[in-house]
Amino acid sequence: MSIWSRIRQSILPNRKSSDIDEELALHLELRSEELEKQGLTKEQARREAAKMFGPRARIVEETREAHSLQWLDNWRRDSAYSIRGLLRRPAFLTTGLATLALGIGVNVAIFSLLDGLLLKPLPVPDADRLMAFVETRNGDPTGGNPLRLKDYADAMRSLATTGGFYSEGMVVRTAEGAQSLRTLRTVGDVATTLGYRPVLGRLPGPTEDNVALLGHRYWEQAYGASRDVLGKTLRTPSGTIEIIGVMPPEAALIEEYEVWTPMTQEMQKTPRTAGFLQMIGRLKPAVDLARANAELATVNAAMRAAHPEEDKGLTARLTPFQNVLTTEASRPVLLLAGVVFTVLLIACANLAREAAIRLAIGASRGDLIRLYLLESVWLAIPGGALGLLAGAWSLAYLKSLLPANLPLLNAVAIDGRVALFALGLTLFCALAIGLLPAWQVARLKQKPSPLRSLLVVAQVAVSMVLLMTAGLLVHSLLDAKKRPLGFNQDHVLALQFAFTWDTDNAKLQQFYHDVEQAVRDVPGVRSAGLIDRLPLEGGSQGRGYLRIRGRNLEESLARQSYGYRAMTKGYITALRVPILRGGLPDDKQPQTLINETFAKKYFGDTDPVGQQVSFSDANREPAWYTIAGVVANVAQNGVENGTFSEVFVPISRTFWPHAALVVNTEGDAAPVIAAARRVDPFAVIRYAGPLESRLATAWSEPQLIATLLGGFALAALALVCVGIYGMLAGFVRGRTREFGIRLALGATPVSLTQLSLNHGLRLTAIGLGLGLAGTWPVARFLDKSPDPVALAVAAALMMLAAGVACYGPARRAAKLDPALVLRHD
């Protein structure tokens, strides 16, 4: 008999059994006929024939075993039994499926983010050879520069191609009016370095700058995927740009842009001290990263020698481009991944404990172990399938919460790798759920296992770590929200403008002047002013060197970073920032404001008003500014509680094509926005509305992480309560006879209640101690110090929840009737 026939017989035995029955009946009939011919009656012949063949059931079983695989047949029988057992317990089945679906689903969603952002290679050819230049100046990170990129490209033999890029908004004129397009400005061979080839048209030449390639999706949406798009033009305020090609769809996987266009020749000549470019390079096939970095160190030293004024203190190294893209997202994603997996472990432990409570009688240990493992498998398989569906929904929800321009977010999806992860996680859950009952069955004749108590301690410990972590993030967020902002945002509107970096500075300054004046003339406007960045948005036009006329600062102090902001004095008035000393600067004079932290750090008790400072690079001649006044500290970061040294210089003395107009007004936003639009209908306004709404986005990311982590921590706490309840219920059941004897000998119900409570709370306290010890490495990972308030709140919440979970079983112990207990025993 073939192996496939035996497998089929093992899985589908009914058909073969009927064939055996028919064949056996035929043999009985033939033997009966032979015996009748020998003189026996028909009834005697049937009885004799049946005796000769033996018991029918034994013949059927032996025949079936010969035509099947016994281990596979046993697996089929045990599986059917375990499935029937699950169906007979609908409450446990429903709870188990829901728990696994949610637990696996959230883990699948987080793993999809982790895989797409951190683990999966970049969606470019030979992604492991794509590198990024990481530069620092005197130890502080700095952006790249077109002139330095050219030096690297000319001197380095380890790189096949190089390129640089930055993103900005570009306004094009259409029949419907102005439209802002997300634009990637490039220099060098960016597309070739990334490994992209146009699906239509060609790449720009080395000296072309008035040409563009369209993003694939924008080509489909705006031009209907027409091949006649080549040669058409995009009309911008500074002129027309010819369309020469269309990028492939995979170019949108890292980050999506509607337009790819080269930097202008003027921008490529930006002074070497400017840092705004992301520089990349592709290693040649025979070159490894260590060799390329050794060559880069030599090239970098030669650059510093050739340009001592501009490149002093500059260092560079190559690192995989993927690391640069994912650095910011890695920490929160890894944190959430650890949290949701921990919650799933707690859920599996509780399901395992529920399964272990049931008693099995009349079977061998091996049969019971196999039964428990099979039951967990048949519970986990549909739970995993539902989890994959829940994961797809959870991932879509998470992506809707994340910033749309997060690098690699477009590449995150439920794919084969994620499906394999879901399968592996399902099998893991099956083992985790089935091993505890199997282990307890294997120890039926041994001493009681402390495994339940150890599981409770472990659950309390990890739940304590989760609660503390969530509490730490929430506490930091609340502290940041309660700190003094240094300004008043009531009745303040904000309009954020974004111009391209190749905008003519004279035209830019004229727009800033005109828009501020136009808005001030709107009825109801009390004051208006410009600032390069709104409060709480972080970042600055950082400067790394400071001079004070008439004083010799220590080099270490002079090179400490400080915030450098460009503004008009109307900004201080509109936000009602307190002026502590002096007055407002004259926007037409080289005057500056400093904040309180800057004054204390560099001047101490000396009055800084009237003194002169320079913010020029250490290698340049100083450009002196007179300090006109000292203002209160204005919060510049959402969750950073520290105050930073800052200076405010006239916006007319800088070039910064991104600025915000803050308007203190009694009226509505519509007339203000209309006045700004009239100054330049094609200016890109990234935001127009209440300042309070705009600043709320500064809390969105930390608030999202804190909310998700807090939700998972509370889910873990609920599961821990279930675990404590189940453990203590088992404790009471296991000591029912002992409690009955105690009551018969005079023990009070209160003492039994206290005994049960002490058992549960003692385990909780041990878990709390372990959890508190585990908070330190987590806090170090988050770059935060463990907060006593967060620790106290988390510990109190855990003890309260544990007390509630312990109370029910403890009260049940107190209500035992000793007569009934001893009579039953």
Side-chain angles (χ1 to χ4, degrees), residues 357 452 726-737 739 812:
I357 291 174
R452 291 187 189 179
M727 179 276 302
L728 202 56
F731 171 79
V732 171
R733 280 194 297 270
R735 300 181 66 176
T736 297
R737 183 173 183 275
F739 286 170
R812 189 177 301 119

Side-chain angles (χ1 to χ4, degrees), residues 267-281:
M267 279 294 295
Q268 294 183 35
K269 299 173 183 176
T270 304
R272 300 176 68 90
T273 52
F276 61 93
L277 202 64
Q278 174 65 68
M279 302 183 298
I280 58 175

Side-chain angles (χ1 to χ4, degrees), residues 364-401:
S364 68
R365 291 185 184 178
D367 291 336
L368 289 175
I369 291 172
R370 186 171 64 250
L371 178 63
Y372 277 127
L373 289 176
L374 279 173
E375 186 171 289
S376 65
V377 167
W378 289 117
L379 178 64
I381 287 176
L386 293 174
L388 193 59
L389 295 176
W393 178 87
S394 301
L395 178 61
Y397 178 68
L398 282 175
K399 290 177 70 173
S400 69
L401 297 177

Side-chain angles (χ1 to χ4, degrees), residues 345-628:
L345 285 179
I346 296 175
C348 288
N350 283 342
L351 289 176
R353 185 185 295 107
E354 172 64 23
I357 291 174
R358 293 174 281 108
L359 297 177
I361 302 174
S364 68
R365 291 185 184 178
D367 291 336
L368 289 175
I369 291 172
R370 186 171 64 250
L371 178 63
Y372 277 127
L373 289 176
L374 279 173
E375 186 171 289
S376 65
V377 167
W378 289 117
L379 178 64
I381 287 176
L386 293 174
L388 193 59
L389 295 176
W393 178 87
S394 301
L395 178 61
Y397 178 68
L398 282 175
K399 290 177 70 173
S400 69
L401 297 177
L402 295 172
N405 61 347
L406 182 68
L408 298 175
L409 187 61
N410 291 329
V412 175
I414 303 291
D415 56 13
R417 291 163 60 98
V418 177
L420 285 176
F421 171 80
L423 176 60
L425 195 61
T426 299
L427 295 178
F428 172 83
C429 291
L431 289 175
I433 295 170
L435 283 178
L436 177 62
W439 173 266
Q440 291 187 329
V441 166
R443 296 173 57 89
L444 283 175
K445 295 183 180 180
Q446 301 179 25
K447 294 181 179 180
S449 172
L451 189 57
R452 291 187 189 179
S453 299
L454 292 177
L455 280 174
V456 168
V457 170
Q459 287 182 353
V460 171
V462 297
S463 182
M464 178 63 188
V465 172
L466 296 183
L467 282 173
M468 187 285 305
T469 305
L472 190 61
L473 293 178
V474 171
H475 189 264
S476 297
L477 188 61
L478 293 177
D479 275 355
K481 286 187 173 183
K482 290 188 297 185
R483 66 180 172 175
L485 296 178
F487 61 92
N488 191 328
Q489 58 187 334
D490 294 339
H491 305 291
V492 176
L493 303 176
L495 286 77
Q496 289 184 292
F497 303 100
F499 292 87
T500 58
W501 284 92
D502 58 358
T503 301
D504 180 74
N505 192 34
K507 293 181 179 179
L508 182 67
Q509 296 300 334
Q510 188 63 50
F511 171 80
Y512 286 160
H513 174 273
D514 294 346
V515 75
E516 186 174 14
Q517 188 59 50
V519 167
R520 281 179 180 168
D521 293 338
V522 174
V525 171
R526 291 185 285 252
S527 57
L530 289 156
I531 185 70
D532 56 358
R533 285 182 177 88
L534 289 173
L536 301 184
E537 287 193 341
S540 77
Q541 301 178 56
R543 293 293 189 270
Y545 201 78
L546 178 71
R547 295 182 180 93
I548 301 177
R549 177 165 273 180
R551 286 177 53 188
N552 291 322
L553 289 178
E554 294 182 7
E555 189 73 6
S556 59
L557 185 61
R559 291 191 178 278
Q560 288 186 13
S561 297
Y562 54 89
Y564 183 87
R565 299 196 176 275
M567 66 155 199
T568 62
K569 61 184 179 182
Y571 166 75
I572 300 296
T573 305
L575 288 186
R576 287 154 284 181
V577 179
I579 301 175
L580 306 180
R581 291 182 183 178
L584 293 174
D586 186 343
D587 290 339
K588 298 180 180 180
Q589 299 295 324
Q591 296 182 353
T592 183
L593 286 176
I594 61 175
N595 72 348
E596 186 178 7
T597 299
F598 189 99
K600 289 180 179 179
K601 181 176 182 179
Y602 292 101
F603 294 96
D605 296 330
T606 304
D607 187 359
V609 176
Q611 300 206 41
Q612 291 187 316
V613 291
S614 171
F615 316 116
S616 302
D617 293 332
N619 306 318
R620 293 181 177 273
E621 286 296 319
W624 297 106
Y625 285 81
T626 301
I627 298 176

Side-chain angles (χ1 to χ4, degrees), residues 171-348:
V171 175
V172 297
R173 306 187 183 203
T174 67
E176 292 77 22
Q179 181 182 10
S180 179
L181 301 180
R182 195 152 186 264
T183 303
L184 190 73
R185 291 280 195 175
T186 65
V187 60
D189 300 326
V190 173
T192 304
T193 304
L194 291 172
Y196 297 144
R197 292 181 176 275
V199 295
L200 185 66
R202 62 178 178 84
L203 294 174
T207 60
E208 287 185 293
D209 58 7
N210 249 7
V211 296
L213 290 93
L214 303 181
H216 198 273
R217 182 180 297 180
Y218 180 68
W219 172 54
E220 293 177 331
Q221 293 174 347
Y223 295 92
S226 171
R227 302 183 68 87
D228 296 334
V229 71
L230 299 181
K232 293 185 178 181
T233 58
L234 299 172
R235 294 195 303 151
T236 72
S238 57
T240 59
I241 299 177
E242 181 186 358
I243 299 173
I244 63 170
V246 177
M247 294 300 293
E250 58 266 24
L253 293 178
I254 293 180
E255 203 165 347
E256 187 168 0
Y257 297 95
E258 281 106 359
V259 177
W260 293 50
T261 184
M263 291 170 53
T264 63
Q265 296 298 316
E266 290 76 15
M267 279 294 295
Q268 294 183 35
K269 299 173 183 176
T270 304
R272 300 176 68 90
T273 52
F276 61 93
L277 202 64
Q278 174 65 68
M279 302 183 298
I280 58 175
R282 181 171 287 275
L283 296 177
K284 290 182 178 179
V287 177
D288 60 20
L289 182 57
R291 176 180 162 186
N293 270 320
E295 183 186 20
L296 179 58
T298 303
V299 172
N300 186 243
M303 288 170 53
R304 290 197 301 269
H307 306 279
E309 294 186 355
E310 293 87 354
D311 291 350
K312 183 178 181 180
L314 185 74
T315 60
R317 62 182 175 86
L318 289 169
T319 191
F321 184 46
Q322 183 161 9
N323 294 353
V324 174
L325 289 178
T326 58
T327 297
E328 186 175 350
S330 60
R331 182 169 296 182
V333 173
L334 287 172
L335 179 64
L336 288 176
V339 169
V340 298
F341 184 70
T342 302
V343 173
L344 181 62
L345 285 179
I346 296 175
C348 288

